[in-house]
Structure formats: structure tokens, C-alpha cells
Amino acid sequence: MAGDSATKIKAYAVPAVLFSLSMLYQLVLLPRAFPPSHYDVLGLKTYCSMEEVKEAYENLESKWNSGLEIPTTTEFIKIRYAYELLTNPIWKRNYDVFGINEQDHVLEKLSQQYAGEKFSNIALPLLRTVASDTGDDAFNVITSKEFQSMFQDSKPWLLQVYSYGSNQSAQFANSWKRIAALLNGVANIGMVELGEVQVAAYLSERKPMGRFFFRNGLPSVVAFPSGCKTSDCLTRFEGELSVDAVIDWFAMAVLNLPRIFYYSKESLGPRFLAKSSPHKVKVIFFSKTGERATPAIRQAARDYWNYATFACVLWREEEFSVWWNTFGVESAPAVVFLKDPGLKPLVYHGSVNDSWFLDVLEQNKQQELPQLRSLTSEELGCDARGYSRAGRDTLTWYCAILAGRLGPELDSMRETMRRVQETLSKSSELKAASEDEHSITAAVALKSKRLTLSWLDGETQKNYCFFYLNIESSYETCGPRRVPTDVPRLFIIRYERNATEDTFKVDKKAKSIWEFHQQEVDPAAQLSVTYNVSAEVSRIIQWMSNIIEDGDSRKLPFYRVKTPELVPEDAEPFWSRGPQGLLSKSMGTKQKIQRTIIRIYDYLGDPRIGPALLLGALMSFGSIWLMRTQQNRSVQSSQPSQADNGVG
């Protein structure tokens, strides 16, 4: 018998579990998901009119006044709360359509405040009414008609869903003005009032049964990225509403802009200055408030990524001496530009205006002595495949390049070359007669943009470096460090283009190995000379002037070769991989888990689950019972036949 019972329990385990789950859902989970509504408190049907609400409350009030019924304090607070909520047209609309009930915390607060007192001692009204002021020009209130045509603009949209009767929306008004000001010119800003029911419903979330709701209440902030015109690509802000949080979310998740990190006095050197590319200008913002960079500055960080790198520092008065001695910063806000080694930082004190900052950044995006890189070679005129900075009509031009491995020796020589450039720039502004005759030629060439001064990372660009410094000791300058000493070297390249070839270019396939070789070489002929004298500014200027005079006056061999390609020195920026690349894998996994939990929680409020589980339990029970009955009948029918065979 015991074995029989165990077999039956095992057979009916699935329907038993389904039945238990259905009862648990119907008796425990569903009541929690659907607590009594404020209509239930007044004994009314859902969505009844305000007149019916007033009538129901007056009936209850007459009973209280006559002494027929005396409500407890908690009961009175619940009834009065429901009455005030459902007799306010805006609150009732928000509650009926979107389930918004943002003052429900008042119930518990007042119950504790008036515990043990008579209901007549409770101060009325319970709810506070505050109207949202949207008369300011900063608010662009969007109607249903305007919503249909607003996506013609290519800019992304940031929308706030609010209600005139929402206290939280009123409190967020000043913050929204600040957000609108920070995003001015970067994105379109708009507001949607819940009275625009069609638009508000379109921007809301839906429960499994189809009811519209805003998970975090009002105000709700949503965004449409550039090119997005449907709710499928709509992005919601989830978190505590603040100017800094909304701006940071919109900049990263919608605009796909980089985040500019804050550093302390201890971490700025090792984590920012030491890790930044040597060719980039370092831009440091000093802030008293600790707010993140505006979208306009982040956009600049993205646009000028090849030239500059950005950091923020929170200003503290006790650290004044550190920043004054290091950069010359007296107070915040301030912006510091760090350029070449040994060059005094450029410091700008005062608030940063976006347009002003972009102008200053454009003027200071390059180091005084620029680095020769794959992205700057043609811009600097140091590319045999390109042209002179002086223009396409210039057939002969020069590029003086300082090559070496990164280190103090190269920094010292870079400073010398920067003084050379500064001396030549000043010389070019004066009358030629008043200058040393040896500097005139180089100064004129620099002014006419036929001469460029730059520096080269000999370790990273080892092939390029070895190609031009084809000497026995070039390993002291080019490639990985193999000796204790580093020796930076200066060389100058003379480029010459054939005007006839540029004018009569004919596209044709190579017919021989020689013609193929001719097509592979660079268009401009090159001759290079290495400087081997002392590192004095005057001697270097004299040497460059002699080279230019000689190159301009003599007919030199037109020798063309294939120059090694410059290696790209910067990895792909992380924001170029799209918005999903902005988050780490762990952060993305965390968000996926949270969203999955939220979806499960939403579906727990679906009243169809309980009946579905019960139906599943009944169907599985019936199927198992039918299968077992058929098996028992087949066994019973086989036993008499076996007995007959035994008798015969």
C-alpha cells in the first residue's frame, strides 16, 4: 500500500505543483499586485464620476456627524485621501489613465502622526496642491499635432512627461531649465503634459494587461536618439532625477559622447598626464561644484580626440599651493592647456563659455612643435604623397624632423627646436635687413609655409626613422631601446614635385615590372640631410638656411622612392563602437539582470496567470488519470486470458 501511495504521489506531482502555484498566485501574489483602489475605499466602481465621489463621501460624512458610525483615524485618513484625490480633475485623470498617485506616502505619515487621536482633530486638507509653471520660454510644450511633425529635425530629442498637478514636476522645473540650457544647440528639448493623453500614452510603458504607466512616476524623462522616429528606439532615464545625472545619461546613452573623468592631485599625474599620448595637448578643467562636463565640451573632446585629451579636477582651497606651483591656477573655475615640454601652461580663469572654449581649443589644438604622425603628415606638408603647406603650386618645400625615443633627451631637444621655431617666427616678422643673414632664408621659408618643423617618435615609427637615418648609429635614435643612451637626431627632407606629371596624369595599367615600380613610388622626389653639429639655436638655423638655399638654387637629382607608411599611434576611441561600447560587460550584464527581474515582476501582476496555472493543473491531472486508467484496464484484461491458458 505504501508503495502504491508513493507511486500515485509521484505520478500526480506535476498537477499538484501547478495547483499549489495557482493558489499561491491567486491568494497571495495577485492581491499584492492589485491592492484595493481608492474607489474601493469609498465603495464605488472604478472610473466613476467626481459627482459620485462627492456623493459617496457626503453620505459617509453624514453618518460620522450623526454618530451612527465613528471611523478610526486610519480609516478616516484613507477615505479623506481618496476623496481629495478623486475630486481633483487633474489628479483623477492621472490616477485613472496612468495609475499615478505620487502623494500616497502621506497615508502612512499621517497615520503615524495622528495615531490615538480622534479623526476630527486631523488637519484638512490632507493633500497639497502645487501647479507647475510652464510659462517660461525654456519650456517647449508639445501637443499631439506638433508631436507628429517634430522628428523632421535630425537632432535627438529629450522629452519630459509631466503634469500640471504634480508636485514633483513643479520641484523639477528649475532643474529642467538648467538641462535645457546645457543642451541648447546639441538636442531638441520638449515637454509633454499628461493631458495630451495620446502622446503621453505613446511615451509610457505598458503592463501585461495593456494599462499605461510610468514606472518611476512623474516627471518621466525619455529620449529619441538621432534618426529615431518610433518608440522602439526610445530610451528612458532610470535613476534619481538631477541635472548632472540626466546630462550624463543623455550625453553617453543618446549622444554617444565620451565621459571626462575627475582626478585628484594624487591621481592626475600617474593616471592622466603619464598615460596621455605625448603628441596630445592636455586640457584640464578645474571646477568647484564637481559637475560633469557639458555635452558641448564632451563633443569637443570627441571631435578633437586626435589632438587633445581632457580631464577634470575638483578644486579645494587647501590644495591651492599645489595647483598654483604646478600650473599657475589661482582659483576655480579655470581651464589649463598643457602643450610642449618646458612650455609654460596656458591658464584661463573664469566660467567657460562653449563657443569661446571651442575657439581657444582650435587655436591651441596643436603643440608648438607638432608631432609627425599618420594623421598629420599631409597637414604638416611632410608627406611625399601630398603637397606643401604653401599650396599645390609650390614644387619645392622642406620638412625638418627631430627623431628620437621618448625621454628626457628628446624633451630637451624638442625644447631647443621650439626655440628655433620661435626665433624664426619672430625673424619673419621683422625686416630682412635687420636680421642675421644666415636666418633670413629659413625665416622666409617658414613664413611662406615652405618649411615645417616637427618631431617624430623614433620607437613607434621605427621603419620611417630607419629609412631616413640610414647610418650605423641610427639604433640610438630609432626602434626599441637597445643601448642605455638615447640620441635624438635632426634631419631635413627636401620634397620636389614634377609639375608636368601633375598636369598630365593618365590612368593606365602597368605593362611591365618597371612601369609597375614607377607607379608604386611616391609622386614627390626626396633628398634628406642629417644634422651632426651642436644643438645651438643659431647653428641649427644657419644649417637649415644653407640647406634651403642649396636646394632652391641647384638642380638636384629627381630621385623618387616609396616611403614607409607612418604607423597609427592611437587606438580606436571606445565611443566609436556605439552606445553599447560605453558600458563595461559587467555593467551590461547587471542591467540585463535588472530588466529581466523588472519584467518578471510586471508579469506577476497579470491576473491571467492564476487561471492559466489552474487550468494547466486540471489538464495535467486529467491526462495522467486517463493514462493510468487505461493502463490498469489493459493489465486487468490480460490477467483472465493468462488464467484460461493455464487451465487448458
Side-chain angles (χ1 to χ4, degrees), residues 149-170:
S149 59
M150 74 179 196
F151 294 107
Q152 296 177 357
D153 195 338
S154 60
K155 288 182 181 178
W157 274 91
L158 181 66
L159 299 175
Q160 178 198 162
V161 182
Y162 76 103
S163 172
Y164 286 118
S166 169
N167 296 329
Q168 294 176 0
S169 296

Side-chain angles (χ1 to χ4, degrees), residues 267-498:
S267 63
L268 183 67
R271 297 182 62 183
F272 174 69
L273 297 178
K275 292 185 177 181
S276 299
S277 300
H279 64 271
K280 290 186 178 181
V281 174
K282 285 76 175 173
V283 183
I284 306 173
F285 296 91
F286 285 84
S287 169
K288 283 185 177 180
T289 61
E291 284 189 357
R292 292 188 176 96
T294 64
I297 292 177
R298 295 188 188 202
Q299 182 69 49
R302 176 174 178 160
D303 294 342
Y304 287 84
W305 177 79
N306 290 315
Y307 301 95
T309 183
F310 296 73
C312 293
V313 172
L314 180 62
W315 175 267
R316 292 186 174 91
E317 292 296 335
E318 60 269 21
E319 297 175 353
F320 164 78
S321 60
V322 175
W323 304 124
W324 169 254
N325 294 329
T326 307
F327 303 123
V329 178
E330 297 179 356
S331 62
V335 185
V336 177
F337 289 82
L338 300 178
K339 303 179 81 172
D340 303 59
L343 191 65
K344 185 179 179 181
L346 295 175
V347 182
Y348 298 91
H349 290 92
S351 300
V352 176
N353 177 276
D354 291 339
S355 59
W356 170 86
F357 174 74
L358 292 176
D359 292 339
V360 174
L361 182 60
E362 178 63 28
Q363 296 170 10
N364 295 281
K365 69 177 184 179
Q366 291 273 21
Q367 295 178 338
E368 295 298 319
L369 184 69
Q371 182 185 11
L372 178 60
R373 299 183 292 132
S374 58
L375 291 173
T376 62
S377 58
E378 291 193 20
E379 179 183 348
L380 296 174
C382 299
D383 193 331
R385 293 174 291 275
Y387 294 85
S388 167
R389 291 189 302 131
R392 290 177 174 265
D393 296 335
T394 302
L395 300 180
T396 306
W397 70 97
Y398 304 85
C399 188
I401 302 172
L402 172 66
R405 285 186 283 266
L406 299 177
E409 295 85 0
L410 180 62
D411 288 346
S412 176
M413 196 60 188
R414 282 172 62 187
E415 191 172 352
T416 300
M417 291 303 298
R418 185 176 54 79
R419 291 201 303 270
V420 168
Q421 183 173 260
E422 185 178 352
T423 302
L424 291 175
S425 299
K426 291 180 179 179
S427 299
S428 64
E429 295 174 0
L430 301 175
K431 292 182 180 180
S434 64
E435 291 294 316
D436 179 22
E437 59 179 355
H438 294 298
S439 65
I440 294 174
T441 305
V444 172
L446 183 67
K447 183 180 180 180
S448 62
K449 298 183 178 180
R450 291 179 59 241
L451 172 64
T452 299
L453 277 66
S454 63
W455 68 277
L456 179 80
D457 185 345
E459 184 173 2
T460 303
Q461 309 294 347
K462 59 181 181 180
N463 294 335
Y464 190 93
C465 183
F466 280 122
F467 178 79
Y468 287 105
L469 293 177
N470 191 13
I471 56 178
E472 185 178 351
S473 59
S474 58
Y475 60 86
E476 297 177 345
T477 306
C478 309
R481 185 176 282 106
R482 292 188 291 176
V483 292
T485 57
D486 291 332
V487 182
R489 284 188 170 84
L490 174 65
F491 60 92
I492 190 168
I493 305 172
R494 174 185 180 271
Y495 296 100
E496 182 182 359
R497 269 188 172 271
N498 189 324

Side-chain angles (χ1 to χ4, degrees), residues 98-144:
F98 299 100
I100 293 173
N101 183 20
E102 67 177 28
Q103 299 191 62
D104 58 349
H105 62 280
V106 171
L107 290 169
E108 184 176 355
K109 179 182 176 182
L110 293 178
S111 296
Q112 294 176 354
Q113 180 180 346
Y114 292 102
E117 295 189 28
K118 295 181 178 180
F119 75 92
S120 57
N121 295 334
I122 299 175
L124 301 177
L126 302 180
L127 305 183
R128 186 167 55 94
T129 305
V130 177
S132 300
D133 179 17
T134 59
D136 197 281
D137 293 337
F139 295 128
N140 174 25
V141 180
I142 296 173
T143 63
S144 299

Side-chain angles (χ1 to χ4, degrees), residues 148-287:
Q148 297 175 0
S149 59
M150 74 179 196
F151 294 107
Q152 296 177 357
D153 195 338
S154 60
K155 288 182 181 178
W157 274 91
L158 181 66
L159 299 175
Q160 178 198 162
V161 182
Y162 76 103
S163 172
Y164 286 118
S166 169
N167 296 329
Q168 294 176 0
S169 296
Q171 294 169 6
F172 189 63
N174 290 330
S175 298
W176 187 252
K177 291 179 184 179
R178 173 66 176 157
I179 291 170
L182 291 173
L183 293 177
N184 183 29
V186 178
N188 296 314
I189 308 296
M191 300 180 69
V192 175
E193 211 279 326
L194 283 187
E196 298 291 338
V197 178
Q198 290 183 341
V199 180
Y202 185 79
L203 299 176
S204 67
E205 297 180 73
R206 289 192 181 186
K207 291 190 175 181
M209 292 298 292
R211 182 173 183 179
F212 304 109
F213 77 111
F214 292 94
R215 191 177 305 280
N216 297 321
L218 295 181
S220 178
V221 177
V222 299
F224 288 88
S226 179
C228 172
K229 298 183 180 181
T230 66
S231 60
D232 295 335
C233 47
L234 178 147
T235 305
R236 300 184 187 279
F237 174 77
E238 298 176 358
E240 186 176 349
L241 286 171
S242 68
V243 175
D244 197 43
V246 173
I247 290 294
D248 186 56
W249 162 78
F250 189 78
M252 295 191 69
V254 180
L255 298 178
N256 195 18
L257 298 178
R259 176 179 287 170
I260 301 176
F261 293 99
Y262 270 83
Y263 297 88
S264 64
K265 65 177 182 180
E266 293 82 12
S267 63
L268 183 67
R271 297 182 62 183
F272 174 69
L273 297 178
K275 292 185 177 181
S276 299
S277 300
H279 64 271
K280 290 186 178 181
V281 174
K282 285 76 175 173
V283 183
I284 306 173
F285 296 91
F286 285 84
S287 169

